[in-house]
Amino acid sequence: MNDHSLFINSFEGSFIALLVYVDDIILAGNDKEEIVRIKQALNQTFKIKDLGDLRYFLGLEVAKSKEGIMINQRKYALELLTDVGLLACKPAPTPIDNHEKFSSR
């Protein structure tokens, strides 16, 4: 499977991934010097703005910690609930009574 918006460069233990979506770019990897070099090269050709560590992208919230990377859609879900007027609703473990009996009539 090919993804025409994902570019990967891997050499001598270094791994860099560059993902392009419209006018946004995510640049990730294990070689900070190579990431800086790529940013400089991109900035020479295009006017780029470095927004720092990834926090939000296409409805996904991204949080980095010592344990790893956590991705969730909490903000997106809250926006959906707000848009349909259900933000103040109380959660329920099931949408109907567990003991409800149905008949085939």
Side-chain angles (χ1 to χ4, degrees), residues 8-102:
I8 295 174
N9 190 4
S10 181
F11 59 96
E12 298 178 6
S14 176
F15 176 84
I16 303 293
L18 186 142
L19 177 67
V20 179
Y21 181 78
V22 186
D23 62 348
D24 291 326
I25 295 174
I26 296 176
L27 184 58
N30 63 356
D31 187 339
K32 290 183 180 183
E33 292 174 5
E34 183 65 10
I35 289 173
V36 169
R37 189 193 68 72
I38 291 170
K39 286 180 189 179
Q40 290 171 343
L42 286 170
N43 199 42
Q44 287 178 356
T45 305
F46 310 101
K47 174 87 169 119
I48 67 168
K49 184 178 187 181
D50 187 350
L51 299 177
D53 287 345
L54 181 64
R55 290 183 303 277
Y56 192 75
F57 186 72
L58 299 178
L60 298 174
E61 287 182 85
V62 181
K64 191 167 75 169
S65 71
K66 291 179 182 179
E67 289 79 33
I69 298 172
M70 175 73 157
I71 299 175
N72 70 63
Q73 289 187 293
R74 182 181 181 277
K75 182 179 177 192
Y76 179 68
L78 289 172
E79 288 172 357
L80 284 176
L81 290 171
T82 300
D83 288 349
V84 296
L86 297 174
L87 187 59
C89 290
K90 294 180 181 169
T94 60
I96 62 171
D97 181 11
N98 286 337
H99 306 292
E100 185 73 30
K101 302 292 184 208
F102 296 99

